[in-house]
Amino acid sequence: MFDKATLNISGMTCSACVVRIEQGLKDLEGVEKASVNFATEKATVEYDSSVLGPESIADKVKDLGYKVVGMEKSRGGVEAARKRALKELKTRFSVGVILSVVIFVGSMQHWFPYLRLIPRQTMLFFLFVLTAPVVFWVGSRFYVGAVKAAKQRTTDMNTLVAVGAFSAYLYSALVTFVPQFFASAGLAPHVYFDGAAMIITLILLGRLLEARAKGKTSMAIKRLMELKPKTARVIKNSKEIDIPIEAVMKGDLILVRPGEKIPTDGLVVSGSSSIDESMLTGESVPVVKKTGSEVFAATLNKTGSFTFRATKIGTETALAQIIRLVEEAQGSKAPIQRVADKVASIFVPVVFGIAALTFMVWYFFVPEPTFSRALLNFVSVLIIACPCAMGLATPTAVMVGTGLGAENGILIKGGESLERACKLSTVVFDKTGTLTKGEPEVTDILTSKGTEQEKVLRVAVSIEAVSEHPLAQAIVQKARKEALSPSEVTDFEALSGLGARAVIDGKTCFLGNLRLMEEEGIKLNGLDEKAEGLASQGKTCVFVAEEGRVIGLLALLDVPRASAAKAVNDLKAMGLQVAMITGDNKKTASGVGNALGIDRILAEVLPGDKAEEIKRLQTRGQIVAMVGDGINDAPALTTADIGIAVGAGTDVAMEASDITLISDDLRSVSAAIKLSSQTMRIIKQNLFWAFFYNSLGIPIAAGVLYPFFGILLNPVFAAAAMAMSSVSVVSNSLRLRGFKLG
């Protein structure tokens, strides 16, 4: 049996760390799949619980040299750990800045008259002492990371920074304490204490800005968490008592007054009100709630008071499920990230090779070679090549994109779904309950000769009284209006996609579509022709048969959703093909399709065959999205390249679909696809600039421009450029927050 564990990890510094942890976890016996996200600092592991447990997985991460700061449910501890890490970063950076400024002033003592009185050798000794805490304490994380990598017989960005800064410091220390060595070799002794200190400080600045920016990318989760009310007003023994939300039990009666947030999910027992559900659906128009209506945790009561009974608490609520889905999505990895991870795994060794080659060329082969210049170029190549930006390019955009979707009622399951959605070519809508309201009404009752409408309706309601299908509910509602009670039914049998059979008053009766009547060889008494006329108006016809002959038919009309036509037009404008799939006959389906502007109609498709129709489209080279209610359509939603469930009323909808639309506004389908396209555009921009930056920066640092323009890149500027590259990638991802989905 496979379980899933989510570990919060600290100590990762670049995408090379991601590759190392992923590979280490995959090597564990019993691990089926492992995915590590650099931006969220999370590892998601699917494992065989009969072979190992979460503790073994955490131990493996620790063996690799990283810290596990929390498991899936310890969100508070994780947040506290992040705050501590950020505070420590600020402290170390502050110390680094102060000491770096002092070291820089001391290095340039000839600029300052009052410092010229201090002997140079004495000043060098002070610089050596002041630089040590910057290089070895402020920058300790880089050395720790480099040692971790070395133990695993690999390298990462920590190795680049540690070797670069330490090389500059060691060389300067040798100049300070054994200057005669350089003098005897005919070398001009220069020190780079200021360079070593500034390299560490500037890269730490990049980390600090990066950490702050990464915090902003997860603002969606924080805002959702803040929505949760802290208390509930429970009615017990006719008294109103305010209790903590954690103490609420299923079945409790809860009173909600105007202006208050609803504490948990439930059903209205008495009273009515308008509820602002925008935090769930993105729809600003309040929804009227009355007795029997479902209400959701954290939504805002606008007008009246009402009492409801709690049906879901804690992690069962819609809000809790949304938070879980968004967290999983933000911790997931888009397939395009594999490119960056693969490059990162070989990038650092290649950079070391280039740096070593740069040193040798500048020390042995250029005119007037100097050790100092060769060392500077060696350090510059190491520093500017740090692959942080590559590791952040994809996950930060995925975090912002999925967060923005959640804030607008669009739940995207993960990076893979986000990436696939922008490649769609065809969108297939289920009809009943998706394109239509799913609340049909009986508009016509036709009878065969010698049969009364009352009998037809009574037989129909007797068979449908126990069914949950929307058409059945419409027939039951019609019977109630006519004050008809159902007769006793025996030997009831539901016939999937066709109708039902039952025995009423000793007579075998059928209720269903034309296909059922034809399969059972039932005489239609000319009502099939009348059904054709009704179907051309978009009405669904249900035949009622008794003892081998049709005694009547009921015509029902399911009104299309207000947003359906606009949604179809939006998708067509995006160049997508739109189709409708339904169990209705072709004429009924065409009536609805024509009204909405849908040309491709897949009619008379049984629920179990919808998945096959999706496969048929896929074999023709189409990349297909299936839009349905997530219950009857679950197999088709799973089969499609992207399954989109409309109206998040069930766990089935969330589990079967790749994208869940909280509201029933179908315009969210095109909004989700646009969000996918925009997010992928940002990811590609990030990856381009990350690769382009390193491709351009390394040759400049190596000195290729020197023969033509006399330009060499100082390691300090290389450090600043590297730090800013990571910040620019995260900042570019944050631009998504301003993207309008409407």
Side-chain angles (χ1 to χ4, degrees):
M1 179 181 174
F2 285 103
D3 281 345
K4 184 185 284 187
T6 302
L7 290 79
N8 299 280
I9 300 172
S10 71
M12 291 191 291
T13 54
C14 67
S15 47
C17 297
V18 169
V19 174
R20 191 180 309 136
I21 298 171
E22 278 186 357
Q23 194 54 55
L25 291 174
K26 287 174 183 176
D27 289 342
L28 274 177
E29 185 183 355
V31 171
E32 177 72 10
K33 192 186 295 182
S35 176
V36 179
N37 189 301
F38 179 42
T40 59
E41 298 179 317
K42 285 186 178 183
T44 303
V45 186
E46 290 184 26
Y47 63 96
D48 187 342
S49 56
S50 64
V51 177
L52 79 167
E55 296 78 14
S56 302
I57 297 170
D59 289 341
K60 181 63 176 178
V61 173
K62 291 171 188 173
D63 290 343
L64 292 168
Y66 301 90
K67 271 186 187 175
V68 176
V69 295
M71 299 293 281
E72 190 170 15
K73 295 178 183 177
S74 55
R75 188 182 293 110
V78 173
E79 197 60 36
R82 284 181 179 170
K83 286 180 179 177
R84 285 196 302 271
L86 189 60
K87 185 178 179 181
E88 184 189 352
L89 259 177
K90 289 177 181 177
T91 302
R92 293 189 182 229
F93 172 69
S94 300
V95 172
V97 168
I98 294 168
L99 289 177
S100 293
V101 170
V102 174
I103 293 164
F104 176 78
V105 171
S107 299
M108 302 298 167
Q109 68 180 118
H110 57 283
W111 289 2
F112 306 96
Y114 56 90
L115 292 179
R116 291 175 190 166
L117 300 174
I118 302 174
R120 183 60 180 167
Q121 197 60 32
T122 304
M123 179 60 77
L124 290 180
F125 177 75
F126 278 121
L127 293 178
F128 169 79
V129 173
L130 290 172
T131 307
V134 181
V135 172
F136 298 109
W137 181 74
V138 174
S140 61
R141 62 180 53 224
F142 303 115
Y143 297 97
V144 171
V147 170
K148 287 179 189 174
K151 285 181 179 177
Q152 300 297 320
R153 297 180 182 178
T154 185
T155 54
D156 60 16
M157 75 149 283
N158 293 298
T159 315
L160 297 178
V161 176
V163 170
F166 183 72
S167 298
Y169 181 74
L170 178 62
Y171 172 73
S172 301
L174 290 173
V175 169
T176 300
F177 294 104
V178 284
Q180 62 274 15
F181 168 79
F182 297 92
S184 63
L187 299 173
H190 295 285
V191 294
Y192 299 102
F193 289 121
D194 56 338
M198 287 184 179
I199 285 169
I200 294 292
T201 303
L202 285 170
I203 293 176
L204 211 62
L205 170 62
R207 289 287 180 86
L208 180 59
L209 295 174
E210 182 186 301
R212 283 181 170 175
K214 280 161 68 175
K216 290 179 183 176
T217 62
S218 59
M219 283 300 292
I221 286 287
K222 291 174 184 173
R223 280 196 285 264
L224 287 171
M225 293 289 293
E226 288 166 1
L227 288 171
K228 295 198 297 186
K230 303 293 187 292
T231 61
R233 186 171 289 110
V234 177
I235 300 175
K236 289 187 177 180
N237 301 321
S238 301
K239 292 182 179 179
E240 298 174 13
I241 308 170
D242 286 338
I243 63 173
I245 190 66
E246 294 80 12
V248 173
M249 305 290 288
K250 285 185 183 179
D252 281 350
L253 277 178
I254 300 171
L255 174 66
V256 183
R257 292 172 177 159
E260 294 180 343
K261 285 183 179 179
I262 296 169
T264 191
D265 292 6
L267 293 174
V268 176
V269 174
S270 63
S272 62
S273 183
S274 294
I275 307 294
D276 179 358
E277 295 184 342
S278 58
M279 50 70 59
L280 277 178
T281 65
E283 176 57 58
S284 59
V285 178
V287 181
V288 175
K289 302 287 184 178
K290 53 188 178 181
T291 303
S293 296
E294 193 171 9
V295 292
F296 302 99
T299 53
L300 183 64
N301 183 24
K302 299 287 283 187
T303 53
S305 296
F306 64 92
T307 303
F308 75 96
R309 190 175 301 280
T311 56
K312 293 179 181 179
I313 57 173
T315 58
E316 299 173 343
T317 65
L319 177 63
Q321 290 186 60
I322 289 170
I323 291 172
R324 177 180 62 82
L325 281 174
V326 175
E327 283 184 324
E328 288 179 0
Q330 292 191 338
S332 67
K333 184 180 291 188
I336 197 171
Q337 176 65 22
R338 293 177 195 140
V339 177
D341 288 350
K342 192 169 184 180
V343 170
S345 66
I346 60 173
F347 189 75
V348 176
V350 169
V351 168
F352 264 107
I354 295 172
L357 181 63
T358 299
F359 179 86
M360 287 189 288
V361 168
W362 279 94
Y363 189 62
F364 294 109
F365 300 107
V366 301
E368 300 179 10
T370 64
F371 185 86
S372 297
R373 190 163 57 185
L375 179 67
L376 281 177
N377 291 346
F378 170 80
V379 173
S380 292
V381 170
L382 292 180
I383 298 303
I384 203 166
C386 291
C388 291
M390 280 188 238
L392 292 167
T394 299
T396 51
V398 169
M399 286 176 71
V400 179
T402 52
L404 178 64
E407 290 174 359
N408 287 273
I410 301 169
L411 298 182
I412 301 170
K413 215 165 196 179
E416 191 169 347
S417 302
L418 195 65
E419 183 172 334
R420 278 205 312 264
C422 68
K423 300 174 183 176
L424 293 171
S425 59
T426 301
V427 179
V428 179
F429 286 93
D430 175 52
K431 181 180 85 71
T432 305
T434 303
L435 282 172
T436 62
K437 292 181 178 179
E439 299 173 358
E441 295 181 358
V442 176
T443 57
D444 305 88
I445 301 177
L446 304 182
T447 64
S448 60
K449 191 174 181 181
T451 305
E452 295 180 355
Q453 283 190 358
E454 183 179 323
K455 180 176 181 178
V456 172
L457 185 56
R458 188 180 295 278
V459 171
V461 75
S462 299
I463 296 175
E464 296 285 43
V466 294
S467 175
E468 296 292 330
H469 194 280
L471 294 181
Q473 295 302 304
I475 292 170
V476 171
Q477 288 294 334
K478 179 67 174 176
R480 283 178 183 163
K481 287 181 184 177
E482 301 293 331
L484 287 176
S485 300
S487 302
E488 187 176 342
V489 170
T490 57
D491 298 331
F492 175 85
E493 181 184 1
L495 306 169
S496 178
L498 299 171
R501 169 175 41 218
V503 174
I504 303 173
D505 297 331
K507 297 177 181 178
T508 301
C509 300
F510 287 88
L511 181 139
N513 55 26
L514 181 61
R515 184 172 169 182
L516 174 62
M517 301 299 122
E518 290 173 343
E519 286 187 6
E520 295 294 333
I522 294 171
K523 294 179 183 178
L524 298 169
N525 293 332
L527 287 177
D528 53 332
E529 295 176 3
K530 293 180 179 179
E532 285 185 20
L534 292 167
S536 64
Q537 302 171 33
K539 296 180 180 180
T540 300
C541 294
V542 178
F543 291 87
V544 181
E546 183 184 74
E547 292 295 301
R549 71 183 189 92
V550 171
I551 60 173
L553 69 80
L554 291 85
L556 301 96
L557 182 64
D558 191 2
V559 180
R561 294 188 187 277
S563 59
K566 180 67 167 64
V568 171
N569 288 335
D570 287 348
L571 292 169
K572 283 184 170 181
M574 294 166 64
L576 296 167
Q577 297 181 34
V578 182
M580 182 179 78
I581 192 166
T582 178
D584 288 346
N585 63 60
K586 291 179 180 177
K587 287 206 170 182
T588 301
S590 296
V592 175
N594 293 337
L596 298 176
I598 300 175
D599 305 317
R600 188 166 194 171
I601 309 295
L602 305 172
E604 299 179 16
V605 180
L606 298 176
D609 295 335
K610 287 181 180 179
E612 291 302 317
E613 288 293 335
I614 297 296
K615 285 181 184 176
R616 196 168 289 120
L617 289 171
Q618 290 170 327
T619 56
R620 295 173 189 164
Q622 299 292 316
I623 301 175
V624 184
M626 171 69 192
V627 187
D629 61 16
I631 305 171
N632 298 328
D633 302 314
L637 288 170
T638 305
T639 302
D641 297 285
I642 290 289
I644 303 176
V646 179
T650 65
D651 294 337
V652 179
M654 291 186 174
E655 294 302 326
S657 61
D658 300 293
I659 298 174
T660 302
L661 308 180
I662 305 296
S663 75
D664 55 15
D665 188 339
L666 296 178
R667 290 173 297 181
S668 295
V669 175
S670 60
I673 297 171
K674 287 176 184 174
L675 176 60
S676 165
S677 298
Q678 187 67 16
T679 304
M680 287 308 300
R681 187 176 294 117
I682 292 289
I683 288 173
K684 288 172 182 176
Q685 288 172 1
N686 287 348
L687 287 173
F688 170 79
W689 286 112
F691 285 121
F692 177 79
Y693 163 79
N694 281 302
S695 302
L696 183 66
I698 292 173
I700 293 174
V704 295
L705 297 181
Y706 186 76
F708 308 102
F709 307 104
I711 296 174
L712 285 176
L713 189 65
N714 188 295
V716 173
F717 295 120
M722 191 282 292
M724 290 305 104
S725 71
S726 297
V727 176
S728 66
V729 162
V730 179
S731 300
N732 191 45
S733 297
L734 288 171
R735 289 195 306 117
L736 264 175
R737 290 168 65 185
F739 180 63
K740 301 298 181 186
L741 296 181

